[in-house]
Amino acid sequence: MKCKKCGKKASIHMRQHKLPLCRDDFLAWIPQQTQRFIDHYEMFDHTDRILVAVSGGKDSLALWDVLVNLGYQADGLFIGLGIEGERNYSAESLAFCRAFAQARDLHLMVFDVLEQEGASIAQAAQLTRRGREKPCSVCGLTKRHVMNRMGLENGYTVLATGHNLDDEAAVLFNNTLHWQVGYLQRQGPVLDGRPGFIRKVKPFIRFYERETAAYALLQGIEYIYDECPFSEGATSIYHKETLNRLEADRPGAKLSFYLNFLRAKDSMHFLAEQERSDLLNACSQCGQPTSAPGKCAYCRTWEQVRIQIEEGKPPA
Ligand code: Q46
Ligand code: ZN
């Protein structure tokens, strides 16, 4: 197959766009498209200070690479979750982020949960009611809290994450299966900032996972191949497989599923949910917004962890 731009041998074929491209044209296409999405969804401009949440994986590092190459002011934030597994997942992920930042002379902030809060994510999960089996609930709430706090406290105007279309379509599928109206309301390429919340954007939202992987590979970005050991058996992976089967028969199915949702969302209004989510208090401990009357879920969870440790229940 030949590159649609230059006629050379194609390296990748984006079937949903009927677009085969050679290496060089593909490496130019990704940043061009990213810029298009940034403009289309009015994500940010060159005056914004962007904090990119990096995990050491292909999507977030590729995103950081593209934003910097497009001339944006983008720093990185790595959250050390203290997840070990066979290959010491968190330490290895951090090493990839550090190497990436150093090679390009970029600023990387690190928030280590064990150092800051006295327990790793897995330990915290065991010490609280949240997820004795899987730490994903504590993990998710901690990541959201830390990203928001680090962004706001350090003067960033935008938080960017590397979610791709496969991630987003799987979340949409799950939200739709359960008709999670509140989540559907908030799902999208941009979540506007408001008092206590940083603006959140997902510039890679319209790229398939294989495209961000191809970009990282062809651009020579070194990243961690392993997934978090706790992601095994996750429903999101099951949903991704289901959507991939659909995509295999109908190229573009995933993209149109997502884009049609965005269009429908513009015309439907989940107003009641919107109003409810506007009723937020400031957490009595950390001051971040919360729908709970006293302390936010982050403060309550980590307080529980500290009490358990003080009572002499050392983390496993
Ligand atoms: S939530 Fe769960 Fe992920 Fe946290 S514990 Fe691992 S799999 S990293 S996206
Ligand atoms: Zn709090």
Side-chain angles (χ1 to χ4, degrees), residues 81 83 121 135-136 139-140 143 228 230-231:
L81 304 166
I83 293 173
I121 287 294
C136 293
C139 184
K143 284 193 287 193
C228 170
F230 295 111
S231 69

Side-chain angles (χ1 to χ4, degrees), residues 146-215:
V146 171
M147 287 189 293
N148 191 51
R149 197 168 91 198
M150 293 295 279
L152 291 177
E153 284 180 2
N154 292 286
Y156 292 93
T157 50
V158 180
L159 177 82
T161 54
H163 293 99
N164 59 46
L165 184 75
D166 293 60
D167 300 323
E168 201 66 4
V171 171
L172 175 60
F173 194 54
N174 192 53
N175 287 343
T176 310
L177 279 180
H178 300 101
W179 285 112
Q180 304 261 30
V181 182
Y183 289 157
L184 286 168
Q185 166 68 35
R186 283 189 295 274
Q187 194 178 351
V190 176
L191 198 55
D192 281 332
R194 51 193 168 124
F197 291 104
I198 194 165
R199 180 178 180 78
K200 292 188 184 138
V201 300
K202 300 171 184 166
F204 273 6
I205 203 87
R206 286 172 67 162
F207 290 131
Y208 283 33
E209 192 162 341
R210 62 189 283 270
E211 293 157 12
T212 59
Y215 179 83

Side-chain angles (χ1 to χ4, degrees), residues 145 149 282-290 294-300:
H145 177 99
R149 197 168 91 198
C283 164
S284 59
Q285 186 160 322
C286 74
Q288 289 224 59
T290 172
K295 289 176 191 164
C296 71
Y298 180 91
C299 289
R300 274 184 284 127

Side-chain angles (χ1 to χ4, degrees), residues 206-242:
R206 286 172 67 162
F207 290 131
Y208 283 33
E209 192 162 341
R210 62 189 283 270
E211 293 157 12
T212 59
Y215 179 83
L217 198 78
L218 295 174
Q219 181 78 337
I221 295 170
E222 309 249 346
Y223 63 89
I224 187 160
Y225 289 100
D226 295 340
E227 300 279 347
C228 170
F230 295 111
S231 69
E232 209 177 298
T235 18
S236 59
I237 295 182
Y238 178 75
H239 291 334
K240 277 188 187 178
E241 287 164 3
T242 307

